[in-house]
Amino acid sequence: MAFNTGAALLDALVLSVVNTESTYGYKITQDVRAVMDVSESTLYPVLRRLQKEGFLVTFDQEFAGRNRRYYQITPSGLTRLVQYRQEWKQYAQNINHILVGEEDA
Amino acid sequence: MTKAEFMAQLAQELNDLPQEDVQDALQYYTEYFEEAGPENEQQVIADLGGAHKVANIIRANMGLGAKTAEEQPKHERYGAQRAPYDYTHEAQAAAGAGASYYYSGSAAPRTAGAHAGQQPGDAPQYGTRQSNTWVWVLLAVVTAPVWLGLAGGLLGIVVGIFAAVLAMIVAGAGMIAAGVVALFGVFSLAHLTFASLCLYYGACAACIGVGMLLVMGFSKLLQLCIRAVGAIFHSLQRTWNGNRGVAA
């Protein structure tokens, strides 16, 4: 994609993916990479940081005879996500207004 | 490079991090390989960009620099040639720059505008205003010879007008004084004829009259000039305050 995508958007996408359902690192990476051009090695530090900031918690669950670490959104993570969504709507609206014109804005 | 080699190198490159962080990272990537399936091992390592790159990105986000280039295995250097997003981390890692790219004050410039706390519109406006100020300052400095000359010229004109007006008032006062002195006879008038006497007193009266006119007229003009200069200063001050009001 031609457009630059910042760290805040990546955080927002990860929170949103995890908010949909508690899920694991590999799946989160695939879901985010489906819409945003980030390298696979970028996701782990983001997850780790969101976890340290209290927006995500992890729990371990057995799957097919091995362990899977799931990420789950916290109440403060949800608050942050709601905030991100509002900011994104405003941002997208502003961009559309100039880039696409009135009909889509 | 095999999965085992990848994990070993990752552990080695992270060995100066807190144990808890190292274990967390190793568990994450162990699971990552398992989710991808053993048949995709090589693909995963290629997609991740190699253990060195993975370690550097983690280190950059922990506020640590990259391990030096001498420690970097040569066959791994292709790792940096991927998404533009990584360059932030790589650059930070290389520079040994501050903590997490997102919350620290020393965040990469590219992400600064997208900082969470700000309204989307704020940052660009601020930037424009800043750069405008700089442009004006630069312009003022560069054009200093021109506007300093102009300002000096204008000041000269104003001072000149004031001096002229004041001079006229002083001249008027002088004429009054001369008329009065002449009227009350410093000179001996005995030898003059009546007609000459009339002319003399007439001249004195005219002198006093013209002097009074000069003093009154130019005092009025002086008042107008002072008021005009005051008004100009006021409007300049208002413009200045107005500009500062916008900037603040």
mmCIF file of all heavy atoms in Angstrom, chain B residues 16-64:
data_model
loop_
_atom_site.group_PDB
_atom_site.id
_atom_site.type_symbol
_atom_site.label_atom_id
_atom_site.label_comp_id
_atom_site.label_asym_id
_atom_site.label_seq_id
_atom_site.Cartn_x
_atom_site.Cartn_y
_atom_site.Cartn_z
ATOM 1 N N ASP B 16 20.922 -9.783 27.410
ATOM 2 C CA ASP B 16 21.096 -8.726 28.414
ATOM 3 C C ASP B 16 19.760 -8.096 28.835
ATOM 4 O O ASP B 16 19.736 -7.125 29.583
ATOM 5 C CB ASP B 16 22.061 -7.649 27.904
ATOM 6 C CG ASP B 16 21.654 -7.099 26.555
ATOM 7 O OD1 ASP B 16 20.907 -7.798 25.830
ATOM 8 O OD2 ASP B 16 22.065 -5.983 26.212
ATOM 9 N N LEU B 17 18.651 -8.643 28.337
ATOM 10 C CA LEU B 17 17.325 -8.180 28.770
ATOM 11 C C LEU B 17 16.926 -8.913 30.052
ATOM 12 O O LEU B 17 17.491 -9.954 30.373
ATOM 13 C CB LEU B 17 16.292 -8.491 27.678
ATOM 14 C CG LEU B 17 15.911 -7.369 26.711
ATOM 15 C CD1 LEU B 17 17.123 -6.777 26.018
ATOM 16 C CD2 LEU B 17 14.923 -7.886 25.675
ATOM 17 N N PRO B 18 15.914 -8.367 30.777
ATOM 18 C CA PRO B 18 15.408 -9.106 31.947
ATOM 19 C C PRO B 18 14.934 -10.508 31.540
ATOM 20 O O PRO B 18 14.354 -10.678 30.471
ATOM 21 C CB PRO B 18 14.227 -8.249 32.410
ATOM 22 C CG PRO B 18 14.509 -6.882 31.883
ATOM 23 C CD PRO B 18 15.266 -7.070 30.608
ATOM 24 N N GLN B 19 15.223 -11.478 32.405
ATOM 25 C CA GLN B 19 14.876 -12.877 32.114
ATOM 26 C C GLN B 19 13.423 -13.033 31.687
ATOM 27 O O GLN B 19 13.097 -13.773 30.758
ATOM 28 C CB GLN B 19 15.155 -13.750 33.347
ATOM 29 C CG GLN B 19 16.483 -14.480 33.277
ATOM 30 C CD GLN B 19 16.663 -15.234 31.978
ATOM 31 O OE1 GLN B 19 15.868 -16.104 31.633
ATOM 32 N NE2 GLN B 19 17.716 -14.904 31.236
ATOM 33 N N GLU B 20 12.550 -12.308 32.378
ATOM 34 C CA GLU B 20 11.120 -12.436 32.112
ATOM 35 C C GLU B 20 10.798 -12.050 30.671
ATOM 36 O O GLU B 20 10.014 -12.717 29.986
ATOM 37 C CB GLU B 20 10.361 -11.533 33.098
ATOM 38 C CG GLU B 20 8.862 -11.656 33.016
ATOM 39 C CD GLU B 20 8.162 -10.360 33.411
ATOM 40 O OE1 GLU B 20 8.791 -9.536 34.110
ATOM 41 O OE2 GLU B 20 7.013 -10.173 33.006
ATOM 42 N N ASP B 21 11.430 -10.968 30.208
ATOM 43 C CA ASP B 21 11.202 -10.511 28.836
ATOM 44 C C ASP B 21 11.748 -11.519 27.832
ATOM 45 O O ASP B 21 11.132 -11.768 26.794
ATOM 46 C CB ASP B 21 11.865 -9.142 28.619
ATOM 47 C CG ASP B 21 11.147 -8.031 29.366
ATOM 48 O OD1 ASP B 21 9.907 -8.140 29.515
ATOM 49 O OD2 ASP B 21 11.798 -7.076 29.801
ATOM 50 N N VAL B 22 12.931 -12.069 28.142
ATOM 51 C CA VAL B 22 13.521 -13.055 27.237
ATOM 52 C C VAL B 22 12.613 -14.275 27.128
ATOM 53 O O VAL B 22 12.311 -14.751 26.021
ATOM 54 C CB VAL B 22 14.923 -13.484 27.738
ATOM 55 C CG1 VAL B 22 15.532 -14.510 26.793
ATOM 56 C CG2 VAL B 22 15.840 -12.272 27.873
ATOM 57 N N GLN B 23 12.155 -14.775 28.283
ATOM 58 C CA GLN B 23 11.298 -15.977 28.275
ATOM 59 C C GLN B 23 10.008 -15.727 27.514
ATOM 60 O O GLN B 23 9.543 -16.578 26.753
ATOM 61 C CB GLN B 23 10.986 -16.401 29.726
ATOM 62 C CG GLN B 23 12.155 -17.045 30.437
ATOM 63 C CD GLN B 23 12.793 -18.155 29.610
ATOM 64 O OE1 GLN B 23 12.087 -18.991 29.035
ATOM 65 N NE2 GLN B 23 14.119 -18.165 29.517
ATOM 66 N N ASP B 24 9.437 -14.541 27.717
ATOM 67 C CA ASP B 24 8.186 -14.206 27.040
ATOM 68 C C ASP B 24 8.364 -14.225 25.526
ATOM 69 O O ASP B 24 7.559 -14.792 24.790
ATOM 70 C CB ASP B 24 7.700 -12.827 27.513
ATOM 71 C CG ASP B 24 6.246 -12.570 27.118
ATOM 72 O OD1 ASP B 24 6.011 -12.056 26.006
ATOM 73 O OD2 ASP B 24 5.355 -12.912 27.918
ATOM 74 N N ALA B 25 9.468 -13.604 25.067
ATOM 75 C CA ALA B 25 9.741 -13.550 23.636
ATOM 76 C C ALA B 25 9.980 -14.948 23.066
ATOM 77 O O ALA B 25 9.455 -15.306 22.006
ATOM 78 C CB ALA B 25 10.954 -12.661 23.368
ATOM 79 N N LEU B 26 10.744 -15.737 23.799
ATOM 80 C CA LEU B 26 11.055 -17.085 23.303
ATOM 81 C C LEU B 26 9.787 -17.932 23.242
ATOM 82 O O LEU B 26 9.582 -18.690 22.280
ATOM 83 C CB LEU B 26 12.107 -17.752 24.207
ATOM 84 C CG LEU B 26 13.499 -17.116 24.144
ATOM 85 C CD1 LEU B 26 14.459 -17.840 25.094
ATOM 86 C CD2 LEU B 26 14.050 -17.135 22.716
ATOM 87 N N GLN B 27 8.938 -17.794 24.264
ATOM 88 C CA GLN B 27 7.696 -18.571 24.233
ATOM 89 C C GLN B 27 6.817 -18.138 23.066
ATOM 90 O O GLN B 27 6.238 -18.972 22.361
ATOM 91 C CB GLN B 27 6.924 -18.404 25.547
ATOM 92 C CG GLN B 27 5.718 -19.338 25.593
ATOM 93 C CD GLN B 27 4.828 -19.094 26.805
ATOM 94 O OE1 GLN B 27 5.269 -18.490 27.789
ATOM 95 N NE2 GLN B 27 3.593 -19.571 26.738
ATOM 96 N N TYR B 28 6.747 -16.822 22.855
ATOM 97 C CA TYR B 28 5.927 -16.302 21.761
ATOM 98 C C TYR B 28 6.382 -16.895 20.433
ATOM 99 O O TYR B 28 5.569 -17.398 19.657
ATOM 100 C CB TYR B 28 6.019 -14.778 21.726
ATOM 101 C CG TYR B 28 5.224 -14.143 20.607
ATOM 102 C CD1 TYR B 28 3.905 -13.753 20.799
ATOM 103 C CD2 TYR B 28 5.799 -13.936 19.351
ATOM 104 C CE1 TYR B 28 3.169 -13.170 19.768
ATOM 105 C CE2 TYR B 28 5.071 -13.357 18.317
ATOM 106 C CZ TYR B 28 3.763 -12.968 18.523
ATOM 107 O OH TYR B 28 3.036 -12.392 17.508
ATOM 108 N N TYR B 29 7.690 -16.867 20.175
ATOM 109 C CA TYR B 29 8.162 -17.326 18.867
ATOM 110 C C TYR B 29 8.144 -18.848 18.758
ATOM 111 O O TYR B 29 7.972 -19.388 17.662
ATOM 112 C CB TYR B 29 9.527 -16.708 18.537
ATOM 113 C CG TYR B 29 9.341 -15.295 18.018
ATOM 114 C CD1 TYR B 29 9.693 -14.193 18.773
ATOM 115 C CD2 TYR B 29 8.734 -15.075 16.780
ATOM 116 C CE1 TYR B 29 9.473 -12.895 18.308
ATOM 117 C CE2 TYR B 29 8.506 -13.796 16.312
ATOM 118 C CZ TYR B 29 8.871 -12.709 17.079
ATOM 119 O OH TYR B 29 8.632 -11.438 16.610
ATOM 120 N N THR B 30 8.286 -19.538 19.876
ATOM 121 C CA THR B 30 8.123 -20.995 19.844
ATOM 122 C C THR B 30 6.704 -21.336 19.394
ATOM 123 O O THR B 30 6.498 -22.176 18.496
ATOM 124 C CB THR B 30 8.390 -21.592 21.247
ATOM 125 O OG1 THR B 30 9.693 -21.188 21.667
ATOM 126 C CG2 THR B 30 8.294 -23.115 21.224
ATOM 127 N N GLU B 31 5.739 -20.690 20.032
ATOM 128 C CA GLU B 31 4.342 -20.916 19.644
ATOM 129 C C GLU B 31 4.082 -20.501 18.211
ATOM 130 O O GLU B 31 3.320 -21.142 17.485
ATOM 131 C CB GLU B 31 3.401 -20.121 20.575
ATOM 132 C CG GLU B 31 3.197 -20.757 21.922
ATOM 133 C CD GLU B 31 2.194 -19.964 22.758
ATOM 134 O OE1 GLU B 31 1.227 -19.436 22.187
ATOM 135 O OE2 GLU B 31 2.407 -19.868 23.981
ATOM 136 N N TYR B 32 4.721 -19.411 17.812
ATOM 137 C CA TYR B 32 4.525 -18.881 16.467
ATOM 138 C C TYR B 32 4.901 -19.932 15.419
ATOM 139 O O TYR B 32 4.168 -20.174 14.460
ATOM 140 C CB TYR B 32 5.377 -17.623 16.307
ATOM 141 C CG TYR B 32 4.942 -16.702 15.194
ATOM 142 C CD1 TYR B 32 4.019 -15.693 15.422
ATOM 143 C CD2 TYR B 32 5.461 -16.842 13.913
ATOM 144 C CE1 TYR B 32 3.613 -14.837 14.413
ATOM 145 C CE2 TYR B 32 5.065 -15.991 12.887
ATOM 146 C CZ TYR B 32 4.143 -14.992 13.135
ATOM 147 O OH TYR B 32 3.753 -14.153 12.126
ATOM 148 N N PHE B 33 6.052 -20.569 15.669
ATOM 149 C CA PHE B 33 6.491 -21.635 14.752
ATOM 150 C C PHE B 33 5.501 -22.791 14.769
ATOM 151 O O PHE B 33 5.195 -23.377 13.718
ATOM 152 C CB PHE B 33 7.892 -22.125 15.137
ATOM 153 C CG PHE B 33 8.996 -21.275 14.570
ATOM 154 C CD1 PHE B 33 9.734 -20.423 15.375
ATOM 155 C CD2 PHE B 33 9.309 -21.345 13.217
ATOM 156 C CE1 PHE B 33 10.739 -19.635 14.850
ATOM 157 C CE2 PHE B 33 10.318 -20.567 12.681
ATOM 158 C CZ PHE B 33 11.038 -19.697 13.506
ATOM 159 N N GLU B 34 5.019 -23.132 15.958
ATOM 160 C CA GLU B 34 4.088 -24.254 16.060
ATOM 161 C C GLU B 34 2.784 -23.977 15.318
ATOM 162 O O GLU B 34 2.233 -24.854 14.667
ATOM 163 C CB GLU B 34 3.800 -24.552 17.543
ATOM 164 C CG GLU B 34 4.970 -25.232 18.245
ATOM 165 C CD GLU B 34 4.796 -25.279 19.755
ATOM 166 O OE1 GLU B 34 3.841 -24.659 20.269
ATOM 167 O OE2 GLU B 34 5.625 -25.924 20.416
ATOM 168 N N GLU B 35 2.305 -22.728 15.438
ATOM 169 C CA GLU B 35 1.063 -22.369 14.741
ATOM 170 C C GLU B 35 1.247 -22.433 13.227
ATOM 171 O O GLU B 35 0.342 -22.847 12.508
ATOM 172 C CB GLU B 35 0.619 -20.945 15.130
ATOM 173 C CG GLU B 35 0.275 -20.745 16.595
ATOM 174 C CD GLU B 35 -0.966 -21.527 17.022
ATOM 175 O OE1 GLU B 35 -1.720 -21.999 16.142
ATOM 176 O OE2 GLU B 35 -1.163 -21.671 18.242
ATOM 177 N N ALA B 36 2.401 -21.986 12.767
ATOM 178 C CA ALA B 36 2.651 -21.978 11.328
ATOM 179 C C ALA B 36 2.829 -23.397 10.781
ATOM 180 O O ALA B 36 2.586 -23.647 9.602
ATOM 181 C CB ALA B 36 3.895 -21.142 11.024
ATOM 182 N N GLY B 37 3.225 -24.330 11.649
ATOM 183 C CA GLY B 37 3.432 -25.722 11.225
ATOM 184 C C GLY B 37 4.872 -25.971 10.853
ATOM 185 O O GLY B 37 5.529 -25.082 10.307
ATOM 186 N N PRO B 38 5.369 -27.161 11.176
ATOM 187 C CA PRO B 38 6.788 -27.475 10.944
ATOM 188 C C PRO B 38 7.176 -27.362 9.473
ATOM 189 O O PRO B 38 8.318 -27.015 9.158
ATOM 190 C CB PRO B 38 6.918 -28.944 11.401
ATOM 191 C CG PRO B 38 5.626 -29.300 12.057
ATOM 192 C CD PRO B 38 4.603 -28.283 11.727
ATOM 193 N N GLU B 39 6.201 -27.631 8.571
ATOM 194 C CA GLU B 39 6.532 -27.586 7.138
ATOM 195 C C GLU B 39 6.826 -26.158 6.653
ATOM 196 O O GLU B 39 7.430 -25.958 5.607
ATOM 197 C CB GLU B 39 5.404 -28.212 6.310
ATOM 198 C CG GLU B 39 4.087 -27.439 6.286
ATOM 199 C CD GLU B 39 3.216 -27.661 7.525
ATOM 200 O OE1 GLU B 39 3.690 -28.291 8.485
ATOM 201 O OE2 GLU B 39 2.076 -27.175 7.536
ATOM 202 N N ASN B 40 6.381 -25.158 7.434
ATOM 203 C CA ASN B 40 6.578 -23.764 7.007
ATOM 204 C C ASN B 40 7.727 -23.076 7.742
ATOM 205 O O ASN B 40 7.848 -21.852 7.682
ATOM 206 C CB ASN B 40 5.296 -22.953 7.247
ATOM 207 C CG ASN B 40 4.151 -23.457 6.400
ATOM 208 O OD1 ASN B 40 4.328 -23.790 5.233
ATOM 209 N ND2 ASN B 40 2.968 -23.566 6.999
ATOM 210 N N GLU B 41 8.547 -23.863 8.408
ATOM 211 C CA GLU B 41 9.606 -23.308 9.237
ATOM 212 C C GLU B 41 10.471 -22.281 8.504
ATOM 213 O O GLU B 41 10.656 -21.160 8.975
ATOM 214 C CB GLU B 41 10.506 -24.454 9.707
ATOM 215 C CG GLU B 41 10.987 -24.305 11.124
ATOM 216 C CD GLU B 41 11.643 -25.584 11.601
ATOM 217 O OE1 GLU B 41 12.829 -25.754 11.289
ATOM 218 O OE2 GLU B 41 10.964 -26.408 12.261
ATOM 219 N N GLN B 42 10.967 -22.678 7.327
ATOM 220 C CA GLN B 42 11.847 -21.785 6.567
ATOM 221 C C GLN B 42 11.131 -20.515 6.136
ATOM 222 O O GLN B 42 11.691 -19.415 6.173
ATOM 223 C CB GLN B 42 12.405 -22.517 5.341
ATOM 224 C CG GLN B 42 13.495 -23.516 5.672
ATOM 225 C CD GLN B 42 14.577 -22.909 6.578
ATOM 226 O OE1 GLN B 42 15.139 -21.855 6.269
ATOM 227 N NE2 GLN B 42 14.864 -23.567 7.694
ATOM 228 N N GLN B 43 9.861 -20.689 5.732
ATOM 229 C CA GLN B 43 9.070 -19.537 5.298
ATOM 230 C C GLN B 43 8.887 -18.533 6.447
ATOM 231 O O GLN B 43 9.012 -17.324 6.259
ATOM 232 C CB GLN B 43 7.697 -20.016 4.776
ATOM 233 C CG GLN B 43 6.852 -18.907 4.153
ATOM 234 C CD GLN B 43 7.580 -18.210 2.995
ATOM 235 O OE1 GLN B 43 8.185 -18.866 2.141
ATOM 236 N NE2 GLN B 43 7.556 -16.881 3.003
ATOM 237 N N VAL B 44 8.595 -19.092 7.645
ATOM 238 C CA VAL B 44 8.392 -18.217 8.810
ATOM 239 C C VAL B 44 9.675 -17.444 9.116
ATOM 240 O O VAL B 44 9.641 -16.229 9.347
ATOM 241 C CB VAL B 44 7.938 -19.044 10.037
ATOM 242 C CG1 VAL B 44 7.974 -18.182 11.292
ATOM 243 C CG2 VAL B 44 6.539 -19.585 9.817
ATOM 244 N N ILE B 45 10.798 -18.138 9.091
ATOM 245 C CA ILE B 45 12.070 -17.461 9.383
ATOM 246 C C ILE B 45 12.337 -16.357 8.356
ATOM 247 O O ILE B 45 12.718 -15.238 8.705
ATOM 248 C CB ILE B 45 13.236 -18.485 9.402
ATOM 249 C CG1 ILE B 45 13.081 -19.395 10.616
ATOM 250 C CG2 ILE B 45 14.583 -17.765 9.444
ATOM 251 C CD1 ILE B 45 14.018 -20.575 10.635
ATOM 252 N N ALA B 46 12.028 -16.661 7.093
ATOM 253 C CA ALA B 46 12.214 -15.654 6.039
ATOM 254 C C ALA B 46 11.269 -14.483 6.247
ATOM 255 O O ALA B 46 11.666 -13.316 6.129
ATOM 256 C CB ALA B 46 11.988 -16.293 4.667
ATOM 257 N N ASP B 47 9.994 -14.792 6.572
ATOM 258 C CA ASP B 47 9.013 -13.709 6.773
ATOM 259 C C ASP B 47 9.370 -12.836 7.974
ATOM 260 O O ASP B 47 9.155 -11.628 7.966
ATOM 261 C CB ASP B 47 7.602 -14.294 6.971
ATOM 262 C CG ASP B 47 7.027 -14.818 5.660
ATOM 263 O OD1 ASP B 47 7.569 -14.481 4.596
ATOM 264 O OD2 ASP B 47 6.039 -15.584 5.706
ATOM 265 N N LEU B 48 9.890 -13.466 9.001
ATOM 266 C CA LEU B 48 10.271 -12.707 10.199
ATOM 267 C C LEU B 48 11.518 -11.862 9.939
ATOM 268 O O LEU B 48 11.758 -10.883 10.635
ATOM 269 C CB LEU B 48 10.524 -13.650 11.377
ATOM 270 C CG LEU B 48 9.273 -14.288 12.000
ATOM 271 C CD1 LEU B 48 9.668 -15.357 13.008
ATOM 272 C CD2 LEU B 48 8.394 -13.244 12.668
ATOM 273 N N GLY B 49 12.265 -12.268 8.933
ATOM 274 C CA GLY B 49 13.449 -11.491 8.584
ATOM 275 C C GLY B 49 14.695 -11.933 9.334
ATOM 276 O O GLY B 49 15.695 -11.208 9.354
ATOM 277 N N GLY B 50 14.642 -13.101 9.984
ATOM 278 C CA GLY B 50 15.821 -13.608 10.678
ATOM 279 C C GLY B 50 15.848 -13.222 12.145
ATOM 280 O O GLY B 50 15.202 -12.254 12.565
ATOM 281 N N ALA B 51 16.596 -13.989 12.920
ATOM 282 C CA ALA B 51 16.635 -13.807 14.381
ATOM 283 C C ALA B 51 17.222 -12.458 14.767
ATOM 284 O O ALA B 51 16.768 -11.822 15.716
ATOM 285 C CB ALA B 51 17.441 -14.935 15.022
ATOM 286 N N HIS B 52 18.212 -12.015 13.985
ATOM 287 C CA HIS B 52 18.851 -10.749 14.331
ATOM 288 C C HIS B 52 17.863 -9.590 14.230
ATOM 289 O O HIS B 52 17.798 -8.720 15.101
ATOM 290 C CB HIS B 52 20.037 -10.498 13.401
ATOM 291 C CG HIS B 52 20.755 -9.225 13.691
ATOM 292 N ND1 HIS B 52 21.501 -9.040 14.833
ATOM 293 C CD2 HIS B 52 20.815 -8.052 13.003
ATOM 294 C CE1 HIS B 52 22.005 -7.812 14.829
ATOM 295 N NE2 HIS B 52 21.586 -7.196 13.736
ATOM 296 N N LYS B 53 17.077 -9.599 13.180
ATOM 297 C CA LYS B 53 16.096 -8.537 12.988
ATOM 298 C C LYS B 53 15.017 -8.598 14.069
ATOM 299 O O LYS B 53 14.650 -7.562 14.644
ATOM 300 C CB LYS B 53 15.465 -8.673 11.601
ATOM 301 C CG LYS B 53 14.522 -7.534 11.279
ATOM 302 C CD LYS B 53 13.810 -7.787 9.963
ATOM 303 C CE LYS B 53 12.739 -6.708 9.769
ATOM 304 N NZ LYS B 53 11.871 -7.040 8.635
ATOM 305 N N VAL B 54 14.543 -9.806 14.351
ATOM 306 C CA VAL B 54 13.531 -9.975 15.401
ATOM 307 C C VAL B 54 14.065 -9.437 16.731
ATOM 308 O O VAL B 54 13.390 -8.678 17.435
ATOM 309 C CB VAL B 54 13.120 -11.456 15.526
ATOM 310 C CG1 VAL B 54 12.288 -11.689 16.777
ATOM 311 C CG2 VAL B 54 12.343 -11.883 14.286
ATOM 312 N N ALA B 55 15.306 -9.793 17.047
ATOM 313 C CA ALA B 55 15.916 -9.346 18.307
ATOM 314 C C ALA B 55 16.060 -7.832 18.332
ATOM 315 O O ALA B 55 15.754 -7.190 19.331
ATOM 316 C CB ALA B 55 17.288 -10.011 18.483
ATOM 317 N N ASN B 56 16.488 -7.258 17.204
ATOM 318 C CA ASN B 56 16.678 -5.807 17.164
ATOM 319 C C ASN B 56 15.380 -5.052 17.359
ATOM 320 O O ASN B 56 15.341 -4.010 18.012
ATOM 321 C CB ASN B 56 17.319 -5.390 15.837
ATOM 322 C CG ASN B 56 18.828 -5.460 15.902
ATOM 323 O OD1 ASN B 56 19.385 -5.806 16.953
ATOM 324 N ND2 ASN B 56 19.477 -5.150 14.801
ATOM 325 N N ILE B 57 14.315 -5.552 16.762
ATOM 326 C CA ILE B 57 13.020 -4.874 16.913
ATOM 327 C C ILE B 57 12.558 -4.948 18.359
ATOM 328 O O ILE B 57 12.060 -3.969 18.917
ATOM 329 C CB ILE B 57 11.988 -5.487 15.943
ATOM 330 C CG1 ILE B 57 12.343 -5.095 14.509
ATOM 331 C CG2 ILE B 57 10.587 -5.012 16.288
ATOM 332 C CD1 ILE B 57 11.461 -5.706 13.464
ATOM 333 N N ILE B 58 12.752 -6.087 18.991
ATOM 334 C CA ILE B 58 12.385 -6.209 20.412
ATOM 335 C C ILE B 58 13.234 -5.255 21.242
ATOM 336 O O ILE B 58 12.739 -4.519 22.088
ATOM 337 C CB ILE B 58 12.564 -7.662 20.897
ATOM 338 C CG1 ILE B 58 11.546 -8.570 20.207
ATOM 339 C CG2 ILE B 58 12.424 -7.750 22.414
ATOM 340 C CD1 ILE B 58 11.766 -10.049 20.457
ATOM 341 N N ARG B 59 14.523 -5.246 20.970
ATOM 342 C CA ARG B 59 15.432 -4.388 21.745
ATOM 343 C C ARG B 59 15.082 -2.918 21.561
ATOM 344 O O ARG B 59 15.076 -2.146 22.516
ATOM 345 C CB ARG B 59 16.879 -4.633 21.314
ATOM 346 C CG ARG B 59 17.364 -6.048 21.571
ATOM 347 C CD ARG B 59 18.746 -6.242 20.993
ATOM 348 N NE ARG B 59 19.705 -5.401 21.695
ATOM 349 C CZ ARG B 59 20.289 -5.724 22.844
ATOM 350 N NH1 ARG B 59 20.028 -6.895 23.396
ATOM 351 N NH2 ARG B 59 21.135 -4.924 23.425
ATOM 352 N N ALA B 60 14.781 -2.534 20.322
ATOM 353 C CA ALA B 60 14.427 -1.140 20.048
ATOM 354 C C ALA B 60 13.206 -0.736 20.855
ATOM 355 O O ALA B 60 13.132 0.373 21.380
ATOM 356 C CB ALA B 60 14.167 -0.939 18.561
ATOM 357 N N ASN B 61 12.253 -1.628 20.959
ATOM 358 C CA ASN B 61 11.032 -1.323 21.692
ATOM 359 C C ASN B 61 11.231 -1.365 23.196
ATOM 360 O O ASN B 61 10.389 -0.894 23.955
ATOM 361 C CB ASN B 61 9.920 -2.279 21.279
ATOM 362 C CG ASN B 61 9.286 -1.836 19.981
ATOM 363 O OD1 ASN B 61 8.412 -0.980 19.985
ATOM 364 N ND2 ASN B 61 9.765 -2.369 18.868
ATOM 365 N N MET B 62 12.333 -1.918 23.629
ATOM 366 C CA MET B 62 12.645 -1.922 25.058
ATOM 367 C C MET B 62 13.592 -0.770 25.386
ATOM 368 O O MET B 62 14.072 -0.649 26.504
ATOM 369 C CB MET B 62 13.320 -3.228 25.452
ATOM 370 C CG MET B 62 12.451 -4.422 25.180
ATOM 371 S SD MET B 62 11.987 -5.209 26.698
ATOM 372 C CE MET B 62 10.711 -6.312 26.124
ATOM 373 N N GLY B 63 13.877 0.041 24.385
ATOM 374 C CA GLY B 63 14.740 1.183 24.619
ATOM 375 C C GLY B 63 16.215 0.838 24.599
ATOM 376 O O GLY B 63 17.041 1.572 25.119
ATOM 377 N N LEU B 64 16.570 -0.299 24.006
ATOM 378 C CA LEU B 64 17.976 -0.698 23.917
ATOM 379 C C LEU B 64 18.448 -0.620 22.477
ATOM 380 O O LEU B 64 17.666 -0.758 21.548
ATOM 381 C CB LEU B 64 18.151 -2.140 24.415
ATOM 382 C CG LEU B 64 17.798 -2.360 25.886
ATOM 383 C CD1 LEU B 64 17.635 -3.826 26.164
ATOM 384 C CD2 LEU B 64 18.873 -1.755 26.764
#
